[in-house]
Amino acid sequence: MEKLIKELAKMPGIGRKTAERLAYYILRLPAQEARELSSAIEELKKNGRNCLRCFGIAVDEICHICADPKRDNTVICVVEEHKDLFSIERTGHYKGVYHVLLGHISPLDNVHPEDLTIERLIERTKNGTVKEVILATNLNVEGDTTASYIQKRLSALGRRDIKITRPARGIPQGSYLEYLSGAVLANAIDARTTF
Ligand SMILES: [Zn+2]
């Protein structure tokens, strides 16, 4: 029990109290559900990798979102991290595809554009199917810097048929996407404005 609590408490946002609550929850789980939980963790670690197209989490070469014919691949939503993709997916509202940057530009931390997946994003927008790129980076200095850089790069392509937008309404400056409520996030993506 103590071992499990210790491991859980290492997770982001999980303090000792929450770790204890989770451990007791797991203790009371029916055996089958506990097995499913541990095998989900094992499978993810064994088979999880970045999607070759969007850098989201995939089991195969292409993730289930990129592979879904019902998703609108004319719209790409650019996010910093996998957790941001999950936050937007949870709203159940967005029907386009994604591009995960795997970070943000931050010269102070020695993270430069070439350390992210920006080149691959530029490549993706060149094939003629993309009509809109939503820059859904966090609304803080790093997120804004990253969005501005990508906007410049996309504009430099001279493609007037690609709209560049940014979610806006209801998101206060300084916000991290992952902490927004589903309703606020869905609303902000709906109400996105030209960047
Ligand atoms: Zn993908």
Side-chain angles (χ1 to χ4, degrees):
M1 194 72 180
E2 188 52 37
K3 190 174 159 200
L4 180 60
I5 292 169
K6 240 191 201 152
E7 290 306 315
L8 289 168
K10 287 181 193 165
M11 294 180 179
I14 309 277
R16 169 86 198 180
K17 271 260 148 50
T18 309
E20 281 174 11
R21 228 170 30 233
L22 287 172
Y24 279 111
Y25 167 80
I26 292 168
L27 182 68
R28 286 194 303 264
L29 275 182
Q32 179 57 27
E33 279 181 47
R35 264 197 300 276
E36 268 163 33
L37 176 65
S38 74
S39 85
I41 294 172
E42 230 170 277
E43 239 168 84
L44 181 67
K45 288 314 293 177
K46 203 169 80 193
N47 303 320
R49 57 178 124 175
N50 289 332
C51 170
L52 290 182
R53 196 174 297 162
C54 75
F55 295 90
I57 291 171
V59 173
D60 301 308
E61 294 199 334
I62 299 296
C63 74
H64 72 282
I65 296 172
C66 287
D68 185 348
K70 290 196 288 292
R71 302 295 295 232
D72 177 5
N73 61 13
T74 67
V75 183
I76 298 179
C77 182
V78 178
V79 294
E80 294 181 23
E81 306 279 0
H82 292 134
K83 59 191 176 196
D84 302 323
L85 184 158
F86 288 125
S87 298
I88 296 172
E89 275 302 281
R90 255 203 316 272
T91 68
H93 208 73
Y94 175 67
K95 299 293 173 233
V97 293
Y98 293 93
H99 191 89
V100 184
L101 297 169
L102 302 177
H104 51 237
I105 298 172
S106 176
L108 287 178
D109 300 313
N110 216 14
V111 182
H112 304 285
E114 58 272 25
D115 298 315
L116 308 174
T117 65
I118 295 172
E119 283 317 310
R120 297 293 297 276
L121 171 67
I122 305 296
E123 284 305 310
R124 281 181 78 187
T125 58
K126 284 180 179 169
N127 67 7
T129 49
V130 179
K131 297 281 171 257
E132 180 177 356
V133 176
I134 307 169
L135 298 174
T137 51
N138 289 318
L139 276 93
N140 51 26
V141 175
E142 290 88 357
D144 287 344
T145 305
T146 308
S148 296
Y149 176 83
I150 296 172
Q151 192 262 340
K152 270 186 218 124
R153 290 290 310 275
L154 288 171
S155 299
L157 295 175
R159 294 276 304 271
R160 291 179 192 281
D161 54 328
I162 300 179
K163 206 161 68 168
I164 305 168
T165 58
R166 186 128 166 86
R169 189 197 292 170
I171 303 189
Q173 188 62 26
S175 289
Y176 288 90
L177 253 53
E178 59 178 308
Y179 299 130
L180 296 174
S181 81
V184 168
L185 193 51
N187 189 18
I189 289 175
D190 270 353
R192 55 193 185 262
T193 49
T194 305
F195 188 65

